[in-house]
Amino acid sequence: MQVTIEPGWKAILKEEFEKPYFKNLVEFVKKEYTTTKCFPPGKQIFSAFDHTPFDEVKVVIIGQDPYHGPGQAHGLCFSVGESVAVPPSLKNIFEEIRTDIGSTIPNNGNLERWANQGVLLLNATLTVRAHQAGSHQNKGWEQFTDTVIEKLSKEREDLVFMLWGGPAKKKGAKVDTSKHLVLTSGHPSPLAANRGYWFGNKHFSKTNEYLKKNGKEPINW
């Protein structure tokens, strides 16, 4: 099956694209995009992979669904376009970075600059129907993104996996901790953050320390 995705990922995931579940998923997504309003735009469904080739991944951040409001989702978890208001969870991410490593809070929520440095911003589900959170769950995306995580865990070394909240922890449960650094905390959403499960996790400084220790360029958060 022809899937438009970065060539390195295409080679790694080639077998996955031929599996019956993925073909069914493609048919479902095509139908949804032609009959209803869905996000992100079709050309941005695989943006996370296009910005962060397999061999260049240093860090993996796992989200859940894409944002389901107009103009928000553009294929990178937690990220929004530059002209869109920064969502609450991302505000809390920026605040933790500020207190952790002292960097200034950016004036927009576009995280392409992270993705281009090797941060794979992976949602568990890569598409969603407008204004209907979870509407494309259990259609095959989760199996696909589980495979992505499995391939990274098996075939790469010294990566950092950031697992925020219950669903992300569950999704990253099989990452090989003898080869990779796995950082867990509560989700940055206001509900969890205000209960003390997010702020102070220092994931961003811990990540950079680990990357430097393993001879990799740290991320400019």
Side-chain angles (χ1 to χ4, degrees), residues 107-177:
N107 60 6
N108 68 77
N110 189 335
L111 302 182
E112 285 180 4
R113 59 195 177 82
W114 293 3
N116 294 336
Q117 294 179 77
V119 182
L120 182 67
L121 296 164
L122 181 69
N123 273 316
T125 305
L126 300 191
T127 57
V128 70
R129 195 182 281 191
H131 310 298
Q132 293 183 43
S135 49
H136 287 186
Q137 289 178 359
N138 304 314
K139 302 295 183 182
W141 278 130
E142 293 90 345
Q143 185 174 340
F144 174 72
T145 51
D146 280 349
T147 301
V148 169
I149 294 164
E150 184 185 326
K151 295 276 187 190
L152 286 164
S153 178
K154 282 185 176 176
E155 299 185 28
R156 295 290 314 281
E157 289 183 4
D158 305 326
L159 302 183
V160 182
F161 289 81
M162 294 187 181
L163 311 179
W164 301 335
K169 289 174 191 173
K170 192 175 176 184
K171 196 158 184 70
K174 292 181 182 175
V175 171
D176 186 346
T177 53

Side-chain angles (χ1 to χ4, degrees), residues 1-11 13 17 22 26 30 41-51 126 141 144:
M1 177 172 287
Q2 286 300 310
V3 175
T4 306
I5 192 171
E6 189 275 327
W9 280 109
K10 191 166 189 173
L13 298 168
F17 296 140
F22 194 84
V26 168
K30 279 182 180 172
K43 289 183 178 177
Q44 295 180 334
I45 291 172
F46 294 108
S47 275
F49 303 90
D50 296 333
H51 280 281
L126 300 191
W141 278 130
F144 174 72

Side-chain angles (χ1 to χ4, degrees), residues 52-69:
T52 316
F54 183 79
D55 291 334
E56 295 175 22
V57 175
K58 296 180 190 173
V59 181
V60 182
I61 297 177
I62 299 173
Q64 295 172 39
D65 263 16
Y67 296 118
H68 52 83

Side-chain angles (χ1 to χ4, degrees), residues 15-28:
E15 289 178 17
E16 213 62 21
F17 296 140
E18 298 302 327
K19 290 181 179 177
Y21 90 87
F22 194 84
K23 292 179 179 179
N24 292 338
L25 171 63
V26 168
E27 289 309 310
F28 167 77

